[in-house]
Amino acid sequence: MTNDMNDEQRRRLLLLQQHGFINEQNGNDSLLNQTESEEHTPWFINVLFGFSGIFASLLFIGFLTLILFETEIFDSIIGVLVTGGILSAIGWSLFYNAHLRHSPFWNSLAFAITIAGQGYIAFALLTNEIEQPVNVVILLLIQLFMTIVMPNFIYRLLSAMVALGCVIYLLKFYHLPELSLGLLALMTAVANLQRYSILQRISVKWRLAAFAISKALSYASALVLLSVSVYFITAEYGGSFDSLDSYGDTFSYNYYLAQGLLTLASLYAALLILKRYSVKRLSAAGVIIAFAIVILGAMSIYVSGLLATSLIIVIAIANSQRVLLGLGIVALVSYVFWYYYQLDTSLLLKSASMLTIGIGLLLMRWLLIKRYFGISKGISKGGGEALVANEKERLS
């Protein structure tokens, strides 16, 4: 078992060397052991560390706030910002040391301290003393900076999600919420399907760090897309559209424009996947897939999240990302059930709606089985560049 894992790691290491992500002089046993300690940490262990770090940071914030409450530090925004900056710098230092020693304890401690520092910074920026959207823009820049400099995947994931949340808020603030779905879908497609082609244009010196950042961004954009895909329709059915507008004007959300942009981004993602397997755009398979995406886009106007979750599932299958695939399937089932139970109509119409959705999903499943697995068998027989591209994406 251990020998098989070592052979797999050496094979991946050789592939990374061939494509310039690491230098040949770094492909020694110490780097191999370092890679094994990082890559083979189960994802649920990382999630557990993340939740424990968030809980510990809340306790730390409460403890530190009680101590400093009697002082004059919290009477000014500058004091709170300085406190948050100091905690963030301490957390970065601990993260850097933990990154070298691969210590779960230091990772958890650094995570808690850094989250506490960012919490103080966010509290200082989101008070009424700084005008909107200036405070949101500053928070966005800070989160982008933290995403780049923090050598920890879980923190980068959370920081990237907060940064994307700030972008969504700014689009809403300027009455452009329809751009949210299309922008997030495009970022998800580019970050997951064009990662290596973009990284090859970066200097070899910074390529490995850029790969780690792009990995966190790929998951963050997918998670935010799954959340935002039903946000506005949930707000509409909940009667809370007035809270989305800062000026009290009549808030309008163009579902056709939003789903149209999402459909265009999904078509672009399909084009990238077809290009990976050397399938022509105007072939029978390409036309059928494009038609299925358009149908799902039209259905998503009424069943919000259908196309977004389908996009996540297809990308996860193409890249062999099991965690993302599980999230997409759970979200898809949840959105369909949510749509069914919020319908204010008869059971007959509900049944007809579910039948239509079921036919669409079965059609999508048939296309995936026939095209994806069929193409995979053809590649296994003939080999070629598509296999290398698929292997590179699988390493993500």
Side-chain angles (χ1 to χ4, degrees), residues 231-267:
Y231 173 76
F232 292 101
I233 287 185
T234 304
E236 182 190 34
Y237 283 105
S240 57
F241 254 3
D242 293 337
S243 62
L244 298 176
D245 195 359
S246 303
Y247 300 102
D249 300 331
T250 301
F251 184 88
S252 60
Y253 184 74
N254 193 327
Y255 298 101
Y256 297 98
L257 177 60
Q259 295 300 326
L261 295 176
L262 177 60
T263 303
L264 291 177
S266 301
L267 289 173

Side-chain angles (χ1 to χ4, degrees), residues 18 27 54 66 76 95 132 139 153 182 189 191 204 234 249 256 270 286 300 323 347 349 351 356 394:
Q18 292 175 351
I54 293 176
L66 289 176
S76 63
F95 263 136
Q132 294 183 350
L139 182 61
F153 172 74
V204 178
T234 304
D249 300 331
Y256 297 98
S300 296
V323 177
L347 291 177
L349 292 179
S351 301
T356 304
R394 191 175 67 85

Side-chain angles (χ1 to χ4, degrees), residues 94-108:
L94 292 176
F95 263 136
Y96 181 75
N97 294 328
H99 181 65
L100 295 179
R101 291 179 290 178
H102 309 292
S103 173
F105 171 77
W106 289 110
N107 270 316
S108 299

Side-chain angles (χ1 to χ4, degrees), residues 13 38 49 103 106 137 192 204 211 230 233 301 339 360 377:
L13 211 59
E38 287 186 338
F49 281 140
S103 173
W106 289 110
V137 173
N192 286 278
V204 178
F211 174 79
V230 295
I233 287 185
I301 297 176
Y339 166 76
K377 292 180 181 179

Side-chain angles (χ1 to χ4, degrees), residues 64-251:
L64 185 62
T65 302
L66 289 176
I67 294 179
L68 301 178
F69 185 75
E70 299 297 333
T71 64
E72 298 180 355
I73 294 179
F74 289 93
D75 294 337
S76 63
I77 297 180
I78 302 300
V80 180
L81 287 175
V82 170
T83 303
I86 293 175
L87 292 177
S88 299
I90 295 174
W92 175 85
S93 178
L94 292 176
F95 263 136
Y96 181 75
N97 294 328
H99 181 65
L100 295 179
R101 291 179 290 178
H102 309 292
S103 173
F105 171 77
W106 289 110
N107 270 316
S108 299
L109 181 61
F111 193 88
I113 294 178
T114 309
I115 290 294
Q118 293 299 300
Y120 282 119
I121 292 176
F123 174 77
L125 292 176
L126 298 180
T127 55
N128 295 327
E129 299 186 19
I130 302 179
E131 296 182 357
Q132 294 183 350
V134 177
N135 54 356
V136 180
V137 173
I138 296 175
L139 182 61
L140 170 62
L141 297 177
I142 291 176
Q143 295 305 314
L144 290 177
F145 176 76
M146 299 297 286
T147 303
I148 294 174
V149 301
M150 285 295 178
N152 181 267
F153 172 74
I154 298 297
Y155 186 87
R156 277 174 169 163
L157 175 64
L158 295 177
S159 184
M161 291 179 65
V162 174
L164 291 175
C166 293
V167 173
I168 301 304
Y169 179 84
L170 291 175
L171 291 176
K172 182 269 300 182
F173 186 87
Y174 290 107
H175 299 272
L176 296 172
E178 294 87 357
L179 301 180
S180 302
L181 289 178
L183 178 62
L184 290 173
L186 182 61
M187 292 181 60
T188 303
V190 172
N192 286 278
L193 300 176
Q194 286 187 300
R195 181 187 308 176
Y196 283 91
S197 61
I198 295 177
L199 290 176
Q200 287 178 354
R201 302 176 183 177
I202 302 176
S203 175
V204 178
K205 180 180 179 181
W206 306 104
R207 193 171 293 174
L208 192 60
F211 174 79
I213 297 173
S214 64
K215 181 180 179 181
L217 182 61
S218 64
Y219 280 93
S221 58
L223 291 174
V224 177
L225 174 61
L226 292 176
S227 302
V228 174
S229 59
V230 295
Y231 173 76
F232 292 101
I233 287 185
T234 304
E236 182 190 34
Y237 283 105
S240 57
F241 254 3
D242 293 337
S243 62
L244 298 176
D245 195 359
S246 303
Y247 300 102
D249 300 331
T250 301
F251 184 88

